Amino acid sequence: MVASIIDGKAVASTLRKSIAEKVAGLGTKPGLAVILVGDDPASHVYVNNKVKATLEVGMRSIERRLPETASTEEIAKVIDELNADKSIHGILLQLPLPKHIDSDPLIQRIAPNKDVDGLTIPNIGKLVAGLDGLVPCTPQGSLLLIKSVKQDLTGLNAVVIGRSLLFGKPMAQLLLAENCTVTTAHSKTKNLADICKEADILVAAVGRAEMVKGEWIKPGAIVIDVGINRMENGKLKGDVDYAGASQVAGAITPVPGGVGPMTIACLLANTLKASGA
Ligand code: NAP
């Protein structure tokens, strides 16, 4: 079997188009504020991409840049201002912050109804409780990719490799809410290959290039590769051995062009939702 390729760019583009149509019908422009602290080149690229995508769907984009030397209090003051600003519906604190700053208290300072990254405790709590809230963008996008292949996931075995708060934990919750039987694997998991072989849906979010081998894939499985690993030659590789896995899987995301494009599209979807539209 040769897997079909799940085209994240195409799914993301359709989602962005539908967001743009909804925004055009609103009469007001939802506002997304991005806070960028310091000079991390990758963060600057990510923020520029987010600003561009925000403007493209007809929303307002506000950038608040602070120097590398900014203090926790200075960043907190910006968050407080944006929390109070009625024209701002979404606030995103670009991570990582400079090393001298503890990011968690600042993330938790963001008003939960503007927390478009879905990382505040109230939004995490809502996800676990099955209540409507703002869901982290990359797992939300990954679920949309899975559902672009198969609508009803009831009873399927899903394995998520990785248990970060940003991805693995919310991904597992989303799959549980879809009535999957979910296993979360991590660095202490034993017999990972055997666990993966049982997965109808396999989601890898580790950060180790080509760790998941083709022999680990159940024939016909849906494979979502979240990993982004930059190789010495500058190319990007996922956490899954794509060449091997695509011979066995039913459907698989490429890296790049799979999960990556969904993250920004879901950020825009969260901003629209946060605006009350
Ligand atoms: P993270 O916080 O570093 O978490 C990595 C997880 O992998 C941890 O739970 C860790 O287990 C687990 N792990 C490490 N080694 C393992 C092993 N040998 N076997 C099984 N599990 C192992 O990373 P993250 O933020 O979740 O991101 C994961 C990957 O996804 C990264 O490559 C990141 O760049 C990518 N990512 C992509 C997007 C996107 O937009 N496409 C968004 C977010 C993340 P322990 O908990 O036991 O340490």
Side-chain angles (χ1 to χ4, degrees):
M1 175 189 269
V2 178
S4 64
I5 298 169
I6 305 174
D7 185 348
K9 271 193 204 162
V11 179
S13 159
T14 305
L15 178 56
R16 288 212 307 264
K17 229 184 238 169
S18 96
I19 293 169
E21 280 165 15
K22 284 179 190 146
V23 170
L26 283 180
T28 57
K29 285 188 174 210
L32 173 62
V34 182
I35 305 168
L36 177 57
V37 185
D39 313 311
D40 179 51
S43 292
H44 277 257
V45 172
Y46 292 144
V47 167
N48 288 341
N49 289 342
K50 286 169 187 171
V51 168
K52 193 165 159 266
T54 307
L55 296 173
E56 268 170 17
V57 294
M59 294 185 186
R60 277 189 334 116
S61 169
I62 292 92
E63 270 181 273
R64 298 293 300 267
R65 294 187 182 221
L66 287 98
E68 184 80 22
T69 51
S71 66
T72 297
E73 292 69 29
E74 285 167 323
I75 304 169
K77 189 165 168 274
V78 171
I79 294 173
D80 291 347
E81 283 167 16
L82 294 169
N83 279 343
D85 184 338
K86 287 197 169 57
S87 72
I88 299 296
H89 303 92
I91 302 171
L92 187 148
L93 181 59
Q94 183 65 43
L95 302 174
L97 293 176
K99 285 197 176 66
H100 65 281
I101 306 280
D102 180 5
S103 52
D104 197 54
L106 290 168
I107 292 170
Q108 300 308 329
R109 200 172 181 111
I110 295 171
N113 61 342
K114 298 189 179 187
D115 164 31
V116 282
D117 261 341
L119 294 176
T120 59
I121 300 296
N123 280 317
I124 294 167
K126 282 182 177 171
L127 179 60
V128 176
L131 300 172
D132 190 34
L134 292 165
V135 174
C137 303
T138 310
Q140 188 185 148
S142 299
L143 181 65
L144 289 174
L145 291 182
I146 295 167
K147 296 195 90 170
S148 75
V149 178
K150 196 168 172 57
Q151 270 297 314
D152 184 4
L153 310 181
T154 302
L156 297 181
N157 282 341
V159 173
V160 180
I161 317 177
R163 57 173 165 180
S164 67
L165 203 55
L166 195 75
F167 186 84
K169 284 178 180 163
M171 186 75 242
Q173 289 299 327
L174 288 172
L175 290 164
L176 196 56
E178 293 290 329
N179 296 318
C180 291
T181 304
V182 183
T183 304
T184 299
H186 46 77
S187 67
K188 307 287 187 289
T189 296
K190 291 182 180 145
N191 305 325
L192 181 59
D194 290 341
I195 291 169
C196 291
K197 282 177 193 167
E198 297 295 316
D200 303 304
I201 299 168
L202 180 62
V203 184
V206 177
R208 302 183 93 189
E210 300 188 326
M211 187 191 93
V212 176
K213 308 297 174 206
E215 313 86 85
W216 299 13
I217 310 293
K218 180 174 173 179
I222 300 171
V223 178
I224 305 293
D225 191 350
V226 185
I228 301 177
N229 306 287
R230 192 164 292 278
M231 310 311 283
E232 272 177 13
N233 63 6
K235 290 218 164 109
L236 293 183
K237 274 203 192 304
D239 289 346
V240 178
D241 165 21
Y242 183 84
S246 58
Q247 297 303 311
V248 192
I252 186 167
T253 58
V255 176
V259 172
M262 294 302 290
T263 300
I264 290 186
C266 289
L267 174 69
L268 301 173
N270 275 353
T271 305
L272 183 65
K273 183 173 184 178
S275 76

